[in-house]
Amino acid sequence: MQTAATGGVGDTGPGPSEDDLFEVLSNRRRRYAVHAIKQEGDAVELGDIAERVASWEYDVAESELSYDERKRVYTALQQSHLPKMDDAGIVAYDKERGVIEPQPALEDADVYLDIVQGREIPWSQYYLGLSGVMAALVAAVWMGAWPLSVGPMTGWM
């Protein structure tokens, strides 16, 4: 992986490159971990993050998680996901103490997370639809469709 510290193309300073951020955010469990760490805002223990992530993954309350569900998420975070996030510079992970500290680059992750809740549509689809409606309106004005032909063409555009 090419990081900003190694001077990749288009890098503007220290911190993870865009490729590093995309690599970290490509996994759902790491995205959950990013959200959980951001909610804490300060140093947090691995057990707390693992419990919250497991709760979201299994869609149950933290108090209803089984030992196996907690352990599965804890182990994966400890052995794979947090070291990858640490290597990218998003968090500082102290494996010996089991403590995770957010780094300034964690705030950059917000730009890449298009969060859509419930029945909302993503902004990209909204703007695509809006562009389609506007293109149809311009075509209708250009073809002289009524009532759009009543006013001047430049006024409608």
Side-chain angles (χ1 to χ4, degrees):
M1 264 188 254
Q2 184 85 4
T3 62
T6 59
V9 176
D11 293 332
T12 58
S17 69
E18 191 172 78
D19 289 340
D20 291 339
L21 282 173
F22 280 129
E23 175 68 25
V24 167
L25 298 174
S26 68
N27 181 278
R28 181 178 59 146
R29 188 169 280 168
R30 286 193 293 265
R31 288 191 303 271
Y32 282 159
V34 165
H35 287 299
I37 294 165
K38 286 183 66 128
Q39 282 181 348
E40 292 296 322
D42 203 11
V44 63
E45 292 187 16
L46 171 59
D48 296 337
I49 294 299
E51 192 167 273
R52 187 167 303 146
V53 169
S55 171
W56 291 338
E57 280 189 15
Y58 294 106
D59 198 24
V60 296
E62 290 180 25
S63 60
E64 296 176 12
L65 287 168
S66 71
Y67 172 80
D68 288 338
E69 291 169 336
R70 283 187 177 113
K71 185 69 173 171
R72 214 173 287 131
V73 172
Y74 183 97
T75 302
L77 286 172
Q78 179 188 41
Q79 294 178 355
S80 175
H81 300 299
L82 289 172
K84 183 179 280 281
M85 293 168 71
D86 185 39
D87 289 345
I90 293 173
V91 298
Y93 172 52
D94 185 344
K95 190 172 186 173
E96 303 222 355
R97 290 181 22 220
V99 175
I100 308 155
E101 293 184 46
Q103 298 298 297
L106 188 64
E107 296 301 319
D108 295 339
D110 281 343
V111 174
Y112 301 99
L113 294 173
D114 187 9
I115 300 171
V116 180
Q117 298 176 351
R119 297 186 149 198
E120 296 177 1
I121 60 172
W123 284 107
S124 58
Q125 289 180 5
Y126 173 79
Y127 285 119
L128 181 63
L130 187 60
S131 298
V133 168
M134 294 309 297
L137 180 62
V138 169
V141 169
W142 182 71
M143 292 173 50
W146 188 89
L148 303 176
S149 61
V150 175
M153 186 182 305
T154 55
W156 284 104
M157 287 187 204

